[in-house]
Structure formats: structure tokens, C-alpha cells
Amino acid sequence: MQYPEPIAKLIESYMKLPGIGNKTATRLAFYTIDMNEGDVTNFAKNLISARRDLHYCSICGNITDEEPCEICRDTTRSQDMILVVEQPKDVMSMERMNDYHGLYHVLHGVLSPIEGKGPDDINIANLIKRLQKTPAKEVIIATNATPEGEATAMYISRLIKPAGIKVTRLAHGLSVGSDIEYADEMTLLKAVEGRQEI
Ligand SMILES: [Zn+2]
């Protein structure tokens, strides 16, 4: 026996999410049909709105529903300091620390020869363009402490250092292989304070 089409389709949709297999998708689908109608309508609306209204800021690459994003528009922030991270989630981690008041640049990934990811596959060209337009005093590279994160930091440093920009890397209060996303605020704060020139 097969499920009626509406629930089969719902299961199919849930299975498109990362880490969700048939079993979990089926459980979620049955849960959804038992939810009250208002909640389900809201859920559907939120899905559509998140997909439709959000985009990447044309300046920094962070996720936003405005253009440019709130951080890029904020003139009270230090305009001559750019902190480079891998993912939009990392911007949120840094902001939670409440101690960094410069700008950001989101790479959307790191260089990874194994995955065939080169400089053109991540948001590096925009960083260079940005620096040519408005030179920064310091660029802090806060890619994760993984081999790919390190290689990406070195690559960017070699590109922009000749322009006379101070390039620093977060201190290794962050343990090797660790993600910015999961670091607590104190660890991040120490890593930023102890950053070193590369
Ligand atoms: Zn922005």
C-alpha cells in the first residue's frame, strides 16, 4: 500500500532537507498533518518568505533582506576594518560577542582542492574589489582552524598584503579543527584580542 499522494509529496519535500532520511521525513509529515491549520499556513509562508526575501548583501555577502545589509549601512562601525568569515552563521557568532565593531566579508566557503573549490568558487573577488574601492587598515581572517581554513587565510593574505593592508589571523584559542560557529563568546573574544599578523 502506498501513502495518499499529498502525504507522499510532503515526505518527499522533507527528504530534501539535509540529514533527513525517509524515516524522519515520514514522522515529520505525519506530525505536520496533525498540526493546527494556522501553524501549518504560517510554516509554509515562512518557508516561502525566507527563500524569496533573503539574499546575499552585494557588498559583504552576508544574508540580508535589505540591500546593502544592516551592518554595511551602519556608519558608526569602523569602516577600515574587515573581518573575513566562511559563512553567514559566523557573522552572527561574532556579533554575539558584542566586541567587534568593524565590517565583515563572507566567503561562502573555503578553498578546497579535494572538493574542487578554487578562488573563483568563493567570494574572494568581491573582497579585492571592495578593498580597491575603500582601502582597509586591517583585514582579520577568521576562517575556521581547519587545513582548508588555514590555506584560505594564507591565500587571501598573499593577495592583499602587497597593497599595504595589515592582515591578521585569529589567535589559536580556537582549537585546531574547530568551527567559529560553535565557539563560545569568551573563546572568540580571546581569539580576536590575540590575533596575529600573517
Ligand atoms: Zn553587507
Side-chain angles (χ1 to χ4, degrees), residues 56-64 66-73 103-104 130:
Y56 297 132
C57 171
S58 65
I59 299 173
C60 71
N62 194 16
I63 198 154
T64 177
E66 294 165 296
E67 178 56 38
C69 75
E70 200 187 324
I71 293 175
C72 287
R73 273 184 301 145
L103 304 173
Y104 290 94
R130 200 177 160 185

Side-chain angles (χ1 to χ4, degrees), residues 14-35:
Y14 276 124
M15 280 178 71
K16 289 199 193 302
L17 299 173
I20 297 193
N22 195 303
K23 220 172 144 184
T24 310
T26 306
R27 189 167 53 83
L28 289 173
F30 274 98
Y31 181 82
T32 308
I33 54 176
D34 280 337
M35 281 165 69

Side-chain angles (χ1 to χ4, degrees), residues 7 56 59 87-88 99 101 147 150 173 177 183:
I7 194 153
Y56 297 132
I59 299 173
Q87 302 296 345
D99 197 63
H101 306 294
E150 296 299 341

